[in-house]
């Protein structure tokens, strides 16, 4: 019903545009490709012949270097600055995760889209976002299922919520692409869906509770939200009365690529060298214990007092049996973390470790340090680290400066991708759909796998789908909206197979939901293999559409 209402608004917006009926379809223009605007990139230092002789490899290496640069500036400066903004504005965790943290994780795709609209005048941004979307929902989820320690159980509500909004967004996007022209009214409607998603997240828990009461009205017991049951409670104890705190946002556990490359030997190692992995385990366990104590805080009624006595008894028993591990939901284990570690919550919840610029030990780490130094040192000099007391007060400088650096790195990445693609006769849409999409999503892949190995499958899946909602409802329409308002003309979409790729993406989303349902909401190796297979099918079909091996029906 919501999707039908949005489509009706789009039709009304298109009907009210006086230029809508005067402009023919882009596919009907005889000189559509001849009149294409020239990209605003400087001339390359190498000639076409030199690039074909091997110089193009430098551009490919430059693209890979920009992938690392974007990951570092986002993880070490942009996201910490957003954390300070969230703290100063006192924004709820769920709203912050849907807004600021989504922007922090999807900033490379957003700026790639902006450059594709205003600089390169091609569909590289569309290809990157569509390719990144399918990479997130198929490859990332598949990797989480394949590399998790145990079989993870998924909660249906977060997946249902995010997939519903994502499906509506994709349907609107398909409607916008129907004539290969994007008008600013259409971009505004698509962008407004993001506002609707943020408002929904503000009231997510009450809506979830009401929805579950409606579904389970014939069953006994109170309806609880996924945030109330996913942390700090078990199936044996059931829902407990009293207030509860939602699980920490995924951004709290975002592992910086620089730290993983230099200061951690193996982030997924199970021994003492896996400090990042061990830190995540300890943080999750202590946060779970805190939620359990808050949920059983004594109230005016007798139920709260009884629950408090039960908790006190459990705490006493836990102190006596210090070797007993605490079972967390979805297969997570807290190991040796005890209730007396509650005192360390304040120190561990705020993971404010500043950027470590010290000279590491070991040949491999030192080599990595030297290779990333041209990226890290300019960032370290120009951007205050908001994780330090001095830098925290300068968060506006870090926030604005990070945006400038992300724009600069994205510009270089798209420029070199454009040169490499033209040398190899690969369309920009294909470069975005494959190489750029995977490159900009690798940091999220690493983070999601580590979080999934901690037993938090819901967080890994929700993060993947949630970032796609931001890409489709902000990364694509925001540049289109600005272009339409500035130039008073629609944005031309030149790719022949991109519309079918978006339709295929929607079909893949349905396959993901069906696959998870077929595996009974369990993330196991079979689900991971199925996700990988679907991803390579999508890439193969999309390449066939772009190279005219397959034909997209009109």
């Amino acid at each position: 019903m919501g999707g039908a209402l949005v489509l009706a608004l789009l039709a009304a917006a298109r009907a009210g545009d006086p230029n809508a009926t005067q402009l023919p379809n882009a596919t009907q223009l005889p000189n559509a490709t001849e009149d294409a605007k020239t990209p605003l990139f400087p001339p390359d230092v190498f000639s076409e012949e030199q690039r074909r002789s091997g110089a193009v490899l430098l551009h490919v290496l430059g693209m890979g270097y920009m992938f690392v640069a974007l990951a570092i500036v986002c993880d070490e400066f942009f996201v910490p600055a957003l954390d300070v903004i969230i703290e100063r504005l006192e924004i709820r965790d769920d709203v912050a995760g849907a807004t600021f943290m989504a922007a922090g994780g999807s900033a490379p795709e957003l700026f790639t889209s902006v450059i594709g609209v205003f600089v390169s005048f091609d569909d590289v941004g569309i290809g990157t976002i569509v390719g990144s979307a399918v990479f997130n929902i198929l490859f990332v989820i598949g990797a989480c299922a394949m590399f998790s320690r145990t079989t993870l159980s998924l909660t249906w509500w977060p997946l249902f919520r995010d997939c519903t909004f994502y499906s509506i967004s994709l349907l609107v996007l398909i409607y916008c692409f129907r004539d290969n022209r994007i008008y600013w009214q259409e971009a505004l409607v698509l962008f407004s869906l993001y506002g609707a998603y943020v408002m929904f997240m503000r009231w997510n828990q009450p809506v979830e509770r009401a929805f579950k009461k409606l579904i389970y009205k014939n069953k006994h017991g109170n309806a609880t939200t996924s945030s109330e049951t996913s942390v700090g409670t078990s199936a044996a104890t059931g829902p407990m009365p009293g207030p509860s705190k939602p699980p920490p946002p995924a951004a709290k556990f975002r592992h910086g690529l620089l730290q993983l490359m230099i200061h951690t030997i193996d982030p997924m190692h199970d021994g003492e060298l896996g400090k990042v992995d061990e830190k995540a385990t300890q943080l999750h366990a202590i946060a779970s214990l805190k939620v359990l104590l808050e949920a059983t805080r004594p109230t005016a009624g007798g139920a709260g007092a009884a629950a408090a006595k039960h908790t006190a008894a459990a705490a006493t028993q836990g102190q006596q049996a210090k070797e007993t591990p605490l079972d967390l939901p979805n297969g997570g284990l807290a190991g040796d973390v005890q209730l007396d570690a509650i005192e360390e919550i304040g120190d561990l919840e705020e993971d404010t470790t500043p950027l470590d610029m010290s000279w590491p030990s070991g040949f491999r780490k030192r080599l990595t340090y030297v290779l990333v130094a041209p990226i890290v040192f300019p960032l370290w000099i120009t951007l205050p680290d908001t994780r330090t007391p001095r830098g925290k007060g300068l968060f506006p400088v870090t926030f604005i400066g990070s945006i400038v650096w992300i724009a600069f790195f994205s510009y270089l990445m798209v420029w070199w991708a454009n040169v490499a693609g033209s040398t190899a006769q690969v369309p920009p849409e294909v470069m975005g759909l494959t190489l750029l999409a995977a490159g900009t999503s690798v940091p999220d892949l690493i983070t999601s796998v580590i979080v999934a190995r901690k037993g938090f499958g819901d967080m890994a899946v929700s993060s993947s789908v949630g970032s796609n909602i931001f890409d489709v409802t902000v990364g694509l329409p925001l540049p289109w909206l600005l272009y339409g308002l500035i130039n008073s003309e629609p944005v031309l979409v030149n790719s022949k197979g991109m519309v079918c790729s978006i339709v295929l993406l929607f079909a893949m989303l349905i396959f993901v939901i069906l696959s998870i349902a077929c595996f009974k909401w369990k993330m196991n190796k079979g689900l991971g293999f199925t996700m990988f297979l679907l991803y390579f099918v999508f890439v193969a079909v999309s390449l066939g559409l772009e190279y005219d091996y397959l034909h997209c029906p009109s």
Side-chain angles (χ1 to χ4, degrees), residues 93-108:
D93 284 342
D94 46 10
V95 177
T99 54
F100 288 95
M101 290 302 109
S106 301

Side-chain angles (χ1 to χ4, degrees), residues 537-549:
V537 169
F538 173 86
V539 173
V541 174
S542 297
L543 293 179
L545 291 170
E546 288 292 340
Y547 286 104
D548 287 332
Y549 294 111

Side-chain angles (χ1 to χ4, degrees), residues 64-65 119 129 185 190 222 278 300 325 425 430 439 457-458 485 488 506:
Y65 205 57
V119 179
I129 287 180
Q185 295 94 335
L190 189 58
N222 296 326
E278 179 183 353
Q425 296 182 347
V430 175
D458 283 336
L485 294 177
S488 299
F506 181 73

Side-chain angles (χ1 to χ4, degrees), residues 47 82 127 144 153 228 261 319 506:
S47 64
L82 293 176
C144 291
S153 299
E228 292 172 343
M261 293 171 62
Q319 291 177 350
F506 181 73

Side-chain angles (χ1 to χ4, degrees), residues 176-177 179-184 186-187 480 489-493:
C176 295
F177 270 67
D179 60 353
N180 290 348
R181 291 181 181 275
I182 310 296
Y183 295 86
W184 70 266
E186 297 172 332
W480 294 340
E489 62 180 16
V491 178
L492 292 179
V493 180

Side-chain angles (χ1 to χ4, degrees), residues 209-536:
R209 191 177 292 109
F211 198 85
K212 288 184 175 180
K213 282 183 179 179
L214 182 64
I215 294 179
Y216 304 123
K217 60 183 178 180
N218 294 327
K219 295 185 179 181
H220 298 285
N222 296 326
T224 58
T225 63
S226 57
S227 60
E228 292 172 343
T229 58
S230 61
V231 177
T233 59
S234 63
T237 59
M240 294 184 179
S244 64
K245 181 180 179 181
K252 292 286 185 183
F253 314 110
R254 182 179 176 88
H255 304 279
L257 183 63
L258 180 64
Q259 301 298 324
L260 297 180
M261 293 171 62
I262 296 179
H263 299 290
T264 305
I265 292 181
D266 184 1
M268 293 188 295
H269 194 275
D270 294 334
E272 61 180 4
L273 297 178
K275 295 182 180 179
V276 174
D277 209 27
E278 179 183 353
K279 178 83 168 188
T281 302
Q282 190 179 24
L283 184 59
H284 282 306
I286 293 178
S288 303
L289 291 170
K290 181 182 178 183
V291 172
L292 177 60
L293 292 184
E294 288 185 354
T296 57
R297 184 178 299 164
T299 59
K309 292 180 180 179
H310 175 75
T311 305
T316 305
Q317 187 178 11
Q319 291 177 350
Q320 294 174 351
K322 289 191 175 183
E323 299 300 323
T324 303
L326 172 67
D327 291 333
L328 290 181
N330 297 341
L333 293 177
D336 298 328
V337 179
Q338 303 303 320
L339 290 177
D340 56 355
I342 295 292
E343 300 174 357
E344 303 178 14
I345 289 175
D347 297 332
L348 287 177
E349 274 192 333
E350 299 296 332
D351 189 9
T352 56
T353 305
L355 182 63
D356 186 3
M357 299 295 296
S358 61
W359 181 249
S361 59
F363 174 76
R364 186 189 66 82
K365 292 184 180 181
R366 289 178 176 177
L367 178 62
T368 306
Y369 187 95
V370 172
L371 291 177
V372 299
I375 299 173
V376 177
F377 275 99
L379 297 175
W380 184 60
I381 293 173
T382 58
L383 301 178
D385 193 342
T386 58
R387 291 165 294 187
T388 62
R390 175 181 173 275
K392 193 171 185 178
L394 299 174
F395 73 92
V397 178
T398 305
F399 176 73
I400 298 175
S402 298
I403 292 177
V404 174
W405 277 109
I406 292 172
F408 175 68
F409 292 147
S410 300
Y411 178 87
L412 293 180
M413 179 186 69
V414 176
W415 174 25
W416 292 333
N418 191 287
V419 173
S422 63
T423 303
Q425 296 182 347
V426 177
E429 300 81 17
V430 175
M431 294 293 293
L433 199 63
T434 55
L435 192 60
L436 295 184
T440 55
S441 300
V442 165
D444 292 327
L445 169 65
I446 296 174
T447 298
S448 296
V449 170
I450 294 177
V451 169
R453 284 176 62 84
K454 293 295 95 195
F456 285 79
D458 283 336
M459 184 181 293
V461 174
S462 183
S463 175
S464 299
V465 182
S467 64
N468 288 355
I469 295 176
F470 182 89
D471 288 340
V472 173
T473 58
V474 177
L476 287 178
L478 184 58
W480 294 340
L481 178 61
L482 295 176
Y483 184 91
L485 294 177
I486 293 173
N487 299 312
S488 299
E489 62 180 16
V491 178
L492 292 179
V493 180
N494 302 315
S495 175
K496 295 172 291 185
M498 191 58 65
V499 178
C500 279
S501 295
I502 297 174
V503 175
L504 187 60
L505 172 60
F506 181 73
M508 289 297 170
L509 178 63
I510 296 176
F511 279 123
V512 168
I513 299 173
L514 294 178
S515 299
I516 293 177
C518 289
F519 284 95
K520 298 180 180 179
W521 301 89
K522 303 289 184 182
M523 291 183 66
N524 51 29
K525 299 295 189 294
L527 179 63
F529 179 78
T530 303
M531 295 295 103
F532 285 151
L533 180 62
L534 289 175
Y535 176 74
F536 290 115

